[in-house]
Amino acid sequence: MSGRGGRGGRGGRGERSDGPAIHAVDRGGRFAKPTANNTSVNTTATTTKPTKPQKTQNDQTTYPHTRKVPVPPTLVVWARSDEGLELLERSAIGMGRVLVVDPNYANTKSTVVELSGEYEEEVERAALLIESVLENQVRVAHRMGVRSKLDAEKNKIATEIELGLRCEFSVQQSLFGMVMGHKGSRVRAAQEQCAVQAIVVDKEALCIRIVGSDAKEVRKARAMLELRREVIRDLHDDKTRRILIGKGGKTIDDITRRSGAMSIDVDHDKGVVNILGTASATAAARILIESHISTIADMDAAQTDLETLRDEMHSLNA
């Protein structure tokens, strides 16, 4: 049995012979454009029919058994590459020649791997191995395609987030019902009032995703839906709590109105103030409450200083 024809024993690369212009076999049976040599040719012919791949000087053997294994369309480029041809040749154990042949020369509807050998059993076994290799490569190509799509989607999302066209925020489980509103009324209101493409509510992950084409509208929708619960602690002085509430709740109601918070509750037992509302509203309420508490402390200090001054003046007059 002679060695494999082609480049250094590799099947599939043909060479030009000293004859008329032919379709030269490139790697693995791939056919390049016809090229002319120095031999005179018949220039009157207008068309040239495809000819079968020419045997090279290194591969003059005619093998008694040949089998053609179709190459999936998605793998044609791979099969003709150095990497593909190397793997196909290694897998076709016992074959005298391994070619990747175009349909025009293989008399088939698709590109094929042509296996040639001395024994029918070896050719059939090699065909099974090549089929297995091709099936595995199809799966690999599919996985790579899926990965490529996922990477592209990931990059798209990252770009949208960077441009403010997409946002995601978590929701406390205790507040999820309030965020949704009665039968989803708050979400529908945000969709109607904001020019966004989608508002996705993920109940399992306890988060909301907003996607749009205008960063301003995305921020507006988020401001409408993102609820927070803020807690101001260490408010143990009863006098401060009562002044904060005001007569008949007037002071705390005014802070609620000015901040836009949904509710502000003063818990006397725990000495805390609970604030519920959107992110901007709770932040505003905290500032107003802390400012009011600071004012109360300043007034107490001023009252103490005033009483001390009065005592000193009374002592001097005495």
Side-chain angles (χ1 to χ4, degrees), residues 26-317:
D26 198 354
R27 188 179 314 286
R30 188 171 44 169
F31 292 90
K33 294 180 180 179
T35 57
N37 53 24
N38 295 327
T39 307
S40 62
V41 296
N42 183 3
T43 58
T44 59
T46 57
T47 59
T48 303
K49 294 183 179 180
T51 58
K52 294 184 65 177
Q54 301 294 309
K55 291 190 177 81
T56 68
Q57 295 177 357
N58 295 328
D59 187 5
Q60 299 291 341
T61 304
T62 300
Y63 295 95
H65 300 285
T66 300
R67 173 76 182 274
K68 297 174 182 177
V69 180
V71 178
T74 56
L75 295 183
V76 170
V77 174
W78 171 84
R80 292 170 173 169
S81 68
D82 286 340
E83 176 189 359
L85 200 54
E86 292 267 2
L87 181 57
L88 292 173
E89 289 178 339
R90 288 200 310 267
S91 302
I93 300 172
M95 293 298 95
R97 183 169 55 240
V98 178
L99 298 173
V100 175
V101 188
D102 285 344
N104 290 339
Y105 299 92
N107 295 322
T108 59
K109 294 182 179 180
S110 63
T111 299
V112 298
V113 178
E114 185 177 281
L115 306 171
S116 301
E118 292 285 353
Y119 304 102
E120 183 177 4
E121 303 83 29
E122 289 186 348
V123 173
E124 291 298 323
R125 181 185 63 187
L128 292 175
L129 292 172
I130 293 299
E131 288 174 354
S132 178
V133 168
L134 293 175
E135 289 173 1
N136 288 335
Q137 287 300 317
V138 167
R139 287 193 287 269
V140 169
H142 175 71
R143 286 196 295 270
M144 294 300 292
V146 171
R147 179 177 179 179
S148 178
K149 289 180 180 179
L150 291 176
D151 286 341
E153 184 64 21
K154 181 179 178 181
N155 292 334
K156 177 186 175 185
I157 291 174
T159 301
E160 289 176 345
I161 292 174
E162 183 178 355
L163 296 176
L165 304 179
R166 177 187 292 264
C167 72
E168 177 179 321
F169 57 91
S170 59
V171 180
Q172 298 175 22
Q173 189 170 11
S174 59
L175 299 179
F176 208 85
M178 293 184 182
V179 172
M180 293 293 296
H182 181 62
K183 295 183 179 180
S185 59
R186 295 188 77 249
V187 174
R188 286 197 302 273
Q191 288 176 323
E192 292 170 359
Q193 298 177 31
C194 306
V196 294
Q197 296 174 0
I199 298 178
V200 180
V201 179
D202 191 333
K203 295 181 179 180
E204 294 184 0
L206 294 176
C207 69
I208 292 180
R209 302 180 185 91
I210 304 173
V211 182
S213 56
D214 188 330
K216 183 179 178 180
E217 293 296 318
V218 171
R219 289 195 301 271
K220 180 181 176 182
R222 177 171 184 167
M224 292 179 64
L225 294 175
E226 189 175 17
L227 296 185
R228 291 182 180 177
R229 179 175 279 122
E230 294 275 353
V231 180
I232 299 177
R233 305 183 184 279
D234 301 324
L235 200 63
H236 301 297
D237 182 60
D238 183 67
K239 179 183 176 182
T240 302
R241 291 196 303 268
R242 293 186 183 281
I243 294 175
L244 180 62
I245 294 173
K247 187 177 181 179
K250 184 178 180 179
T251 303
I252 203 70
D253 288 345
D254 183 62
I255 293 175
T256 302
R257 179 181 61 81
R258 290 175 182 273
S259 65
M262 296 175 66
S263 67
I264 300 177
D265 175 60
V266 179
D267 190 329
H268 291 279
D269 295 332
K270 296 181 179 180
V272 298
V273 178
N274 295 306
I275 309 169
L276 176 63
T278 62
S280 59
T282 53
R286 173 180 281 275
I287 292 173
L288 290 172
I289 291 172
E290 290 178 345
S291 176
H292 199 74
I293 293 173
S294 178
T295 301
I296 294 172
D298 291 341
M299 289 177 63
D300 287 344
Q303 182 65 30
T304 301
D305 291 342
L306 182 60
E307 291 177 356
T308 301
L309 180 59
R310 283 175 179 173
D311 290 341
E312 292 176 353
M313 291 180 65
H314 180 72
S315 298
L316 290 173
N317 291 332

